[in-house]
Amino acid sequence: MIDFYLNGKRRQCADVSPDTSILELLRTQLGQTGTKEGCASGDCGACTVAIGEPDVSGELRYHNANACITPAYQLQGCHLVTVEGLSRGDALHPAQAAMVECHGSQCGFCTPGIVMSLFTLHEEQRRCPAPLTQERLEAALGGNLCRCTGYRPIRDAALSMDQYPDTHPVWADDPELAANIVTLRQNTATTSEFASQGHFTAPRDLAALRELKRQRPQARLVAGATDLWLETTQQLRILDDLIDVRQVAELNTIEETPEGWWIGSAVTYSRLEPLLEVHYPTFAHLMHRFASSQIRNRGTLGGNVANASPIGDTPPVLLALDARLILDGPDGERELPLAEFFLDYKKTALKDNEFIRAIFLPRPSCDQNLKVWKLSKRREDDISAVLAAFAWRQEDGVMRDVRLAFGGMAAIPRRALGAEQALEGQPPCVKAFEAAKRSLRDEFQPMTDVRGAAEYRQMAASNMLERLHLMLVAASNQNTDAEVMLDAYAH
Ligand SMILES: Cc1cc2nc3c(=O)[nH]c(=O)nc-3n(C[C@H](O)[C@H](O)[C@H](O)COP(=O)(O)OP(=O)(O)OC[C@H]3O[C@@H](n4cnc5c(N)ncnc54)[C@H](O)[C@@H]3O)c2cc1C
Ligand code: FES
Ligand code: FES
């Protein structure tokens, strides 16, 4: 049974199959059809809802999420807010009022999802007001497509929400709501088996997860579900044996050591971003181009690595930074360099009963450089055709500790060892970079698919190396104009 709150009212839903999404639960079992289905793959945002979970002080924090690819069972002990729950009688929530006044809707199919993304933005502003910069608007609305209105009226609505009466939803007046949710979560058992048919089990600690993996090694793990759920919505696979790692306390920590950070595999991108902003601004910049806020709020670093997609965005960066993994399971734990984790297309070093516990991100040395360039067709919410991550130090005019990693260039994300060798110990000169580019052509045989032909990918990867070269030359000449030109193409 799923025990949660919907727009302030407690709901207990039984007989839900393990692979039911929040969207299906809402529309079919609960008769709440305000939330729409567009793509059923997390791309369009029509199904956006807000999920409230208590923070450390017990206050409910809301994030937007794609209902079409979020497991219904992950609502256990949460407050789900949908477009039906925003107005107060005839009085509209500021997100709705602004959309009406700014003519932010035509056919209206995308509108409930956009209103919910505006609602979570409004909640953020209520808690911690800050200027609504272009970057913040892109982050808030980048996961919501609209095919007929055009984005300017929607942006105008976002910018003018604070000019409307601050109408609270009725449930916001309930002083008990947050405390009731905290109690509901506390009363949820350490290993909860929710589904009556099949399994959707949510362990709360490492010991329980290990035991479950011992009993059911074949069970699929689910974290944010932003990859896994596409198997059911796009490939119509039945997922009837699931272990949810999101609640496992040890998988949710970020542990700082003098050498770096152990990031629990179930830490979401949204939680990771502040750390990256401080220590790895280049990596943080990539996060702005990673999917959408809906996906970043649910998706995890562990899921990205375990999914082992050749076009996953974080593995090349983690390879360039020499990241390591802790793999864990009923037979104990082991540490592995990330470079040894990816074996072949979607094949990893994980044994059946193992899971990723944590990912180690080394602390950058003061002279370390990192550049990450993602090439995709759209700037927001798109997967890479090619992603390059370059790390190096410059010492006495030559390049040292050069690590060049690529996504989209082979069956697995991997380093270009020959190209690295061509640059190691060399000044950033034409000769060294020409040798590196030649080596790149021998090292990779990329595939042709909808994101790019093999020749295009080869050329793009080579051009990214050339770009690094030009950037280093421009930096040594202190030629800032050239840097601006290069940045014009940077994403
Ligand atoms: C619209 C959309 C846009 C996207 N954009 C991007 C993008 O720009 N860049 C990008 O790289 N990806 C993108 N993705 C893919 C996805 O969001 C990421 O790969 C994400 O990090 C997956 O994490 P998750 O927690 O959702 O994993 P899940 O979907 O829950 O799991 C993914 C896989 O990992 C396994 N798994 C999960 N946790 C563990 C663990 N601890 N140990 C072992 N196995 C585990 C699962 O069994 C499953 O096989 C996008 C997806 C969507 C739907
Ligand atoms: S229906 Fe398109 S993102 Fe969910
Ligand atoms: S109003 Fe029609 S798709 Fe947005």
Side-chain angles (χ1 to χ4, degrees), residues 41-43 66 69 220-231 245 251 265-266 269 289-292 295 298-307 311-315 350 354-357 374 381-384:
S41 60
D43 284 304
N66 297 121
I69 53 167
R220 301 290 300 275
L221 296 177
V222 57
T226 62
D227 272 316
L228 186 69
W229 231 247
L230 270 58
E231 290 187 21
V245 298
L251 269 50
S265 59
Y269 296 112
R289 296 213 48 224
F290 188 110
S292 59
I295 300 284
R298 308 290 299 180
T300 63
L301 199 56
N304 203 222
V305 172
N307 196 48
I311 46 174
D313 280 347
T314 67
L350 266 183
E354 280 184 324
F355 52 88
I356 302 176
R357 191 168 97 200
K374 169 171 174 169
D381 205 357
D382 202 2
I383 311 270
S384 307

Side-chain angles (χ1 to χ4, degrees), residues 91-302:
L92 296 179
H93 184 275
Q96 298 170 303
M99 281 286 279
V100 172
E101 287 302 318
C102 298
H103 303 285
S105 176
Q106 284 190 50
C107 81
F109 206 78
C110 65
T111 309
I114 289 174
V115 164
M116 293 316 296
S117 287
L118 290 179
F119 164 74
T120 48
L121 180 64
H122 188 266
E123 279 292 298
E124 251 178 58
Q125 288 294 84
R126 187 179 61 76
R127 271 191 300 105
C128 186
L132 287 176
T133 58
Q134 182 65 22
E135 287 74 26
R136 281 193 71 205
L137 290 179
E138 274 185 19
L141 290 164
N144 290 88
L145 294 181
C146 175
R147 283 293 161 226
C148 39
T149 298
Y151 295 102
R152 209 190 65 195
I154 296 168
R155 189 201 58 179
D156 292 347
L159 289 171
S160 62
M161 280 193 290
D162 62 351
Q163 292 162 23
Y164 296 88
D166 193 8
T167 309
H168 295 288
V170 180
W171 49 259
D173 295 340
D174 179 356
E176 307 290 317
L177 181 63
N180 288 340
I181 285 172
V182 171
T183 309
L184 186 56
R185 292 165 91 87
Q186 282 164 350
N187 292 344
T188 307
T190 308
T191 300
S192 297
E193 174 56 72
F194 295 109
S196 50
Q197 289 170 6
H199 295 285
F200 191 103
T201 324
R204 303 275 286 274
D205 61 32
L206 192 59
L209 174 58
R210 283 180 184 146
E211 177 55 19
L212 281 167
K213 272 310 245 177
R214 192 185 61 74
Q215 292 169 7
R216 295 175 11 223
Q218 77 295 340
R220 301 290 300 275
L221 296 177
V222 57
T226 62
D227 272 316
L228 186 69
W229 231 247
L230 270 58
E231 290 187 21
T232 156
T233 66
Q234 307 302 297
Q235 298 163 21
L236 307 182
R237 286 209 190 129
I238 293 169
L239 299 174
D240 58 1
D241 190 0
L242 296 168
I243 299 173
D244 182 4
V245 298
R246 282 187 86 245
Q247 306 294 330
V248 178
E250 294 88 340
L251 269 50
N252 270 294
T253 55
I254 299 180
E255 194 191 320
E256 184 163 10
T257 72
E259 293 79 35
W261 299 267
W262 281 107
I263 296 155
S265 59
V267 170
T268 61
Y269 296 112
S270 299
R271 270 193 62 212
L272 183 60
E273 272 178 69
L275 185 148
L276 297 181
E277 296 280 359
V278 175
H279 299 281
Y280 278 113
T282 315
F283 199 168
H285 178 73
L286 171 69
M287 284 296 114
H288 301 164
R289 296 213 48 224
F290 188 110
S292 59
S293 58
Q294 286 93 326
I295 300 284
R296 293 192 297 273
N297 287 332
R298 308 290 299 180
T300 63
L301 199 56

Side-chain angles (χ1 to χ4, degrees), residues 23 36-48 65-69 109 143 294 381:
L23 186 65
K36 305 294 181 222
E37 179 174 69
C39 62
S41 60
D43 284 304
C44 73
C47 66
T48 302
N66 297 121
C68 66
I69 53 167
F109 206 78
Q294 286 93 326
D381 205 357

Side-chain angles (χ1 to χ4, degrees), residues 306 327-328 334 341 343 348-356:
L327 309 183
D328 205 323
R334 61 189 174 118
F341 182 72
L343 302 180
T348 69
L350 266 183
K351 294 185 195 143
D352 273 354
N353 63 3
E354 280 184 324
F355 52 88
I356 302 176

